[in-house]
């Protein structure tokens, strides 16, 4: 682990050997879905805990980028239905976690191996970017169980892959391979076996070196949450980041961006 690394483990359901693990190293927070007995299916406790963990990482000025991945050879096989109690709404838990991930204020990237199915696909879709390794499989499976897929999750899927591809996944509940996921736009990059970690590490270093101001504004605009062009222009002027970026380019040196100045 690189310099500045901090490790933390948050066990969520010791009885089922299920946990959300996270580390912070060189500006990159990595959250690992770990439930090996159930191919990293999310327990109710894990769904409940993810928003709180994300809020903690979002408030940490050392965190510049967040990576979500699964332990071992699988990303996430969905929800562990056996972990739910009678009074819990599994869909509400999943949607709350998905929305917290989508609202994370810094760049997010899903690093995917193996199965990315059901709730796993919801979490991956809520990230800004998705990189996968050859051999990964993807599926949106509520039609197998007679579940109404949430409207917010459906709209997010449609924005990623288009109406026809979203309907194919939702109507059939069939798994598709990584090559098809790349063609439809669910994935940004598909890596050969054994190359995913290297590529994610290299790309997140790039993201961590870029302007947080640009990233924050671009994420807000791209996600359609607000139209605050004037606000972000004022932020740029107050921070001096635009002038610094131009000067650094002309002087052929790395820029030293200062936004947000409170850090």
């Amino acid at each position: 682990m690189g310099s500045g690394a901090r490790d933390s483990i948050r066990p969520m359901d010791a009885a089922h050997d299920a946990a959300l693990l996270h580390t912070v190293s060189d500006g990159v927070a990595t959250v690992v879905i770990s439930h090996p007995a159930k191919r990293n299916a999310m327990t109710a406790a894990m769904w409940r805990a993810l928003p709180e963990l994300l809020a903690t990482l979002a408030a940490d000025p050392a965190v510049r980028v967040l990576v979500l991945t699964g332990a071992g050879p699988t990303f996430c096989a969905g929800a562990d239905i056996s972990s739910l109690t009678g009074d819990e709404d599994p869909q509400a838990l999943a949607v709350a976690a998905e929305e917290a991930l989508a609202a994370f204020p810094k760049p997010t990237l899903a690093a995917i191996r193996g199965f990315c199915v059901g709730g796993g696909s919801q979490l991956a879709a809520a990230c800004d970017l998705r990189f996968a390794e050859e051999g990964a499989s993807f599926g949106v499976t509520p039609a197998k169980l007679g579940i109404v897929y949430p409207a917010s999750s459906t709209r997010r899927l449609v924005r990623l892959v288009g109406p026809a591809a979203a309907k194919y996944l939702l109507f059939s509940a069939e798994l598709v391979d990584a090559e098809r996921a790349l063609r439809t736009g669910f994935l940004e990059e598909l890596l050969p076996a054994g190359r995913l970690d290297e590529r994610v590490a290299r790309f997140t270093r790039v993201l961590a070196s870029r302007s947080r101001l640009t990233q924050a504004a671009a994420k807000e605009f791209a996600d359609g949450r607000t139209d605050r062009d004037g606000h972000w222009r004022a932020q740029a002027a107050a921070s001096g980041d635009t002038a610094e970026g131009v000067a650094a380019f002309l002087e052929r040196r790395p820029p030293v961006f200062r936004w947000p100045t409170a850090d």
Side-chain angles (χ1 to χ4, degrees):
M1 191 162 298
S3 61
R6 290 186 281 116
D7 296 284
S8 178
I9 298 178
R10 295 170 60 93
M12 300 303 166
D13 193 349
H16 293 87
D17 192 27
L20 292 178
L21 315 176
H22 78 274
T23 62
V24 178
S25 178
D26 298 330
V28 179
T30 301
V31 175
V32 181
I33 303 166
S34 180
H35 190 182
K38 297 286 184 74
R39 292 195 292 195
N40 296 337
M42 293 280 288
T43 67
M46 294 165 77
W47 286 120
R48 286 194 299 270
L50 185 57
E52 179 186 352
L53 174 58
L54 293 172
T56 298
L57 294 173
D60 186 346
V63 173
R64 302 288 303 277
V65 183
L66 183 136
V67 174
L68 179 69
T69 193
T74 293
F75 180 75
C76 176
D80 180 5
I81 303 300
S82 67
S83 71
L84 297 167
T85 63
D87 59 349
E88 287 182 303
D89 181 349
Q91 189 172 98
L93 290 175
V95 169
E98 177 189 358
E99 292 302 318
L101 183 57
F104 194 80
K106 304 167 188 182
T108 57
L109 187 152
I112 301 165
R113 292 185 184 82
F115 288 104
C116 178
V117 180
S121 288
Q122 278 181 263
L123 291 174
C127 291
D128 296 316
L129 303 167
R130 286 147 297 278
F131 290 6
E133 191 170 270
E134 288 177 349
S137 298
F138 302 83
V140 185
T141 54
K144 287 184 176 181
L145 302 172
I147 295 171
V148 175
Y149 201 56
S152 59
S153 305
T154 301
R155 287 192 293 268
R156 183 169 288 116
L157 183 63
V158 169
R159 287 197 300 269
L160 278 178
V161 304
K167 289 174 183 176
Y168 178 94
L169 293 168
L170 286 162
F171 291 176
S172 72
E174 289 189 346
L175 300 186
V176 300
D177 61 25
E179 288 77 12
R180 183 165 186 167
L182 180 67
R183 289 198 305 272
T184 62
F186 190 83
L187 296 176
E188 277 66 55
E189 293 192 13
L190 179 59
L191 285 306
R195 298 287 301 277
L196 180 63
D197 289 344
E198 173 193 353
R199 174 57 179 151
V200 168
R202 183 157 40 92
F203 188 69
T204 53
R205 284 196 298 270
V206 171
L207 294 183
S209 72
R210 302 307 193 207
S211 164
R212 284 178 283 181
L213 173 69
T214 300
Q215 291 169 346
K219 181 163 183 168
E220 191 175 281
F221 294 161
D223 289 348
R225 291 198 298 268
T226 64
D227 183 11
R228 298 195 300 165
D229 188 67
H231 165 81
W232 288 110
R233 288 181 182 275
Q235 290 286 304
S239 68
D241 275 7
T242 300
E244 166 61 13
V246 172
F249 176 79
L250 294 174
E251 296 166 12
R252 299 184 179 181
R253 60 171 174 81
V256 181
F257 294 120
R258 302 189 182 283
W259 187 91
T261 53
D263 280 5

mmCIF file of all heavy atoms in Angstrom, residues 236-256:
data_model
loop_
_atom_site.group_PDB
_atom_site.id
_atom_site.type_symbol
_atom_site.label_atom_id
_atom_site.label_comp_id
_atom_site.label_asym_id
_atom_site.label_seq_id
_atom_site.Cartn_x
_atom_site.Cartn_y
_atom_site.Cartn_z
ATOM 1 N N ALA A 236 -14.659 29.095 -9.070
ATOM 2 C CA ALA A 236 -13.398 29.073 -9.817
ATOM 3 C C ALA A 236 -12.630 30.378 -9.636
ATOM 4 O O ALA A 236 -11.413 30.383 -9.429
ATOM 5 C CB ALA A 236 -13.673 28.813 -11.297
ATOM 6 N N ALA A 237 -13.366 31.488 -9.715
ATOM 7 C CA ALA A 237 -12.713 32.790 -9.573
ATOM 8 C C ALA A 237 -12.155 32.969 -8.159
ATOM 9 O O ALA A 237 -11.027 33.460 -7.981
ATOM 10 C CB ALA A 237 -13.706 33.899 -9.898
ATOM 11 N N ALA A 238 -12.922 32.551 -7.153
ATOM 12 C CA ALA A 238 -12.487 32.744 -5.770
ATOM 13 C C ALA A 238 -11.297 31.857 -5.419
ATOM 14 O O ALA A 238 -10.414 32.256 -4.655
ATOM 15 C CB ALA A 238 -13.649 32.462 -4.815
ATOM 16 N N SER A 239 -11.248 30.661 -5.977
ATOM 17 C CA SER A 239 -10.171 29.738 -5.639
ATOM 18 C C SER A 239 -8.874 30.044 -6.383
ATOM 19 O O SER A 239 -7.790 29.657 -5.936
ATOM 20 C CB SER A 239 -10.598 28.306 -5.968
ATOM 21 O OG SER A 239 -10.726 28.121 -7.368
ATOM 22 N N GLY A 240 -8.990 30.682 -7.543
ATOM 23 C CA GLY A 240 -7.810 30.926 -8.365
ATOM 24 C C GLY A 240 -7.360 29.700 -9.145
ATOM 25 O O GLY A 240 -6.282 29.719 -9.765
ATOM 26 N N ASP A 241 -8.174 28.637 -9.149
ATOM 27 C CA ASP A 241 -7.747 27.398 -9.792
ATOM 28 C C ASP A 241 -7.603 27.540 -11.307
ATOM 29 O O ASP A 241 -6.706 26.939 -11.902
ATOM 30 C CB ASP A 241 -8.725 26.271 -9.467
ATOM 31 C CG ASP A 241 -8.407 25.608 -8.140
ATOM 32 O OD1 ASP A 241 -7.524 26.109 -7.418
ATOM 33 O OD2 ASP A 241 -9.044 24.589 -7.810
ATOM 34 N N THR A 242 -8.482 28.319 -11.924
ATOM 35 C CA THR A 242 -8.372 28.467 -13.382
ATOM 36 C C THR A 242 -7.071 29.160 -13.750
ATOM 37 O O THR A 242 -6.342 28.712 -14.654
ATOM 38 C CB THR A 242 -9.568 29.266 -13.923
ATOM 39 O OG1 THR A 242 -10.783 28.578 -13.600
ATOM 40 C CG2 THR A 242 -9.466 29.423 -15.439
ATOM 41 N N ALA A 243 -6.766 30.230 -13.048
ATOM 42 C CA ALA A 243 -5.505 30.927 -13.315
ATOM 43 C C ALA A 243 -4.312 30.023 -13.048
ATOM 44 O O ALA A 243 -3.333 30.017 -13.808
ATOM 45 C CB ALA A 243 -5.422 32.191 -12.463
ATOM 46 N N GLU A 244 -4.370 29.257 -11.982
ATOM 47 C CA GLU A 244 -3.282 28.330 -11.652
ATOM 48 C C GLU A 244 -3.130 27.256 -12.724
ATOM 49 O O GLU A 244 -2.012 26.906 -13.125
ATOM 50 C CB GLU A 244 -3.544 27.682 -10.296
ATOM 51 C CG GLU A 244 -2.685 26.469 -9.973
ATOM 52 C CD GLU A 244 -1.190 26.743 -9.919
ATOM 53 O OE1 GLU A 244 -0.781 27.935 -9.885
ATOM 54 O OE2 GLU A 244 -0.418 25.769 -9.914
ATOM 55 N N GLY A 245 -4.256 26.717 -13.201
ATOM 56 C CA GLY A 245 -4.191 25.689 -14.231
ATOM 57 C C GLY A 245 -3.569 26.189 -15.512
ATOM 58 O O GLY A 245 -2.734 25.506 -16.127
ATOM 59 N N VAL A 246 -3.945 27.388 -15.934
ATOM 60 C CA VAL A 246 -3.380 27.975 -17.147
ATOM 61 C C VAL A 246 -1.894 28.264 -16.967
ATOM 62 O O VAL A 246 -1.064 27.969 -17.834
ATOM 63 C CB VAL A 246 -4.145 29.257 -17.533
ATOM 64 C CG1 VAL A 246 -3.448 29.982 -18.670
ATOM 65 C CG2 VAL A 246 -5.587 28.915 -17.911
ATOM 66 N N ALA A 247 -1.531 28.849 -15.812
ATOM 67 C CA ALA A 247 -0.126 29.158 -15.553
ATOM 68 C C ALA A 247 0.726 27.893 -15.534
ATOM 69 O O ALA A 247 1.827 27.852 -16.096
ATOM 70 C CB ALA A 247 0.007 29.899 -14.223
ATOM 71 N N ALA A 248 0.204 26.846 -14.887
ATOM 72 C CA ALA A 248 0.960 25.598 -14.824
ATOM 73 C C ALA A 248 1.150 24.992 -16.207
ATOM 74 O O ALA A 248 2.225 24.451 -16.521
ATOM 75 C CB ALA A 248 0.235 24.608 -13.910
ATOM 76 N N PHE A 249 0.127 25.100 -17.044
ATOM 77 C CA PHE A 249 0.237 24.581 -18.411
ATOM 78 C C PHE A 249 1.320 25.330 -19.186
ATOM 79 O O PHE A 249 2.169 24.716 -19.851
ATOM 80 C CB PHE A 249 -1.108 24.711 -19.121
ATOM 81 C CG PHE A 249 -1.082 24.295 -20.557
ATOM 82 C CD1 PHE A 249 -1.110 22.947 -20.910
ATOM 83 C CD2 PHE A 249 -1.021 25.239 -21.568
ATOM 84 C CE1 PHE A 249 -1.071 22.567 -22.247
ATOM 85 C CE2 PHE A 249 -0.985 24.873 -22.902
ATOM 86 C CZ PHE A 249 -1.020 23.523 -23.238
ATOM 87 N N LEU A 250 1.304 26.661 -19.075
ATOM 88 C CA LEU A 250 2.287 27.470 -19.803
ATOM 89 C C LEU A 250 3.701 27.254 -19.264
ATOM 90 O O LEU A 250 4.674 27.302 -20.021
ATOM 91 C CB LEU A 250 1.906 28.949 -19.723
ATOM 92 C CG LEU A 250 0.603 29.330 -20.441
ATOM 93 C CD1 LEU A 250 0.259 30.788 -20.164
ATOM 94 C CD2 LEU A 250 0.719 29.075 -21.945
ATOM 95 N N GLU A 251 3.803 27.021 -17.976
ATOM 96 C CA GLU A 251 5.117 26.820 -17.351
ATOM 97 C C GLU A 251 5.555 25.358 -17.340
ATOM 98 O O GLU A 251 6.618 25.028 -16.828
ATOM 99 C CB GLU A 251 5.074 27.363 -15.914
ATOM 100 C CG GLU A 251 4.842 28.866 -15.856
ATOM 101 C CD GLU A 251 4.465 29.348 -14.460
ATOM 102 O OE1 GLU A 251 4.613 28.556 -13.502
ATOM 103 O OE2 GLU A 251 3.998 30.503 -14.333
ATOM 104 N N ARG A 252 4.712 24.487 -17.883
ATOM 105 C CA ARG A 252 5.029 23.059 -17.998
ATOM 106 C C ARG A 252 5.366 22.432 -16.642
ATOM 107 O O ARG A 252 6.373 21.761 -16.465
ATOM 108 C CB ARG A 252 6.158 22.837 -18.995
ATOM 109 C CG ARG A 252 5.817 23.314 -20.400
ATOM 110 C CD ARG A 252 6.907 22.990 -21.386
ATOM 111 N NE ARG A 252 6.542 23.438 -22.729
ATOM 112 C CZ ARG A 252 7.300 23.274 -23.807
ATOM 113 N NH1 ARG A 252 8.489 22.675 -23.694
ATOM 114 N NH2 ARG A 252 6.896 23.704 -24.981
ATOM 115 N N ARG A 253 4.487 22.687 -15.693
ATOM 116 C CA ARG A 253 4.647 22.117 -14.351
ATOM 117 C C ARG A 253 3.292 21.589 -13.884
ATOM 118 O O ARG A 253 2.242 21.982 -14.415
ATOM 119 C CB ARG A 253 5.145 23.175 -13.379
ATOM 120 C CG ARG A 253 4.213 24.380 -13.241
ATOM 121 C CD ARG A 253 4.619 25.310 -12.125
ATOM 122 N NE ARG A 253 3.800 26.517 -12.089
ATOM 123 C CZ ARG A 253 2.591 26.592 -11.546
ATOM 124 N NH1 ARG A 253 2.038 25.514 -10.968
ATOM 125 N NH2 ARG A 253 1.912 27.729 -11.552
ATOM 126 N N PRO A 254 3.270 20.695 -12.890
ATOM 127 C CA PRO A 254 1.989 20.233 -12.355
ATOM 128 C C PRO A 254 1.264 21.373 -11.649
ATOM 129 O O PRO A 254 1.890 22.161 -10.916
ATOM 130 C CB PRO A 254 2.380 19.140 -11.352
ATOM 131 C CG PRO A 254 3.769 18.753 -11.720
ATOM 132 C CD PRO A 254 4.411 19.988 -12.285
ATOM 133 N N PRO A 255 -0.021 21.505 -11.834
ATOM 134 C CA PRO A 255 -0.768 22.559 -11.147
ATOM 135 C C PRO A 255 -0.964 22.234 -9.667
ATOM 136 O O PRO A 255 -0.969 21.083 -9.262
ATOM 137 C CB PRO A 255 -2.116 22.583 -11.868
ATOM 138 C CG PRO A 255 -2.282 21.179 -12.376
ATOM 139 C CD PRO A 255 -0.885 20.697 -12.716
ATOM 140 N N VAL A 256 -1.106 23.285 -8.886
ATOM 141 C CA VAL A 256 -1.419 23.138 -7.457
ATOM 142 C C VAL A 256 -2.798 23.747 -7.239
ATOM 143 O O VAL A 256 -2.941 24.952 -6.991
ATOM 144 C CB VAL A 256 -0.366 23.815 -6.562
ATOM 145 C CG1 VAL A 256 -0.723 23.624 -5.088
ATOM 146 C CG2 VAL A 256 1.021 23.264 -6.855
#
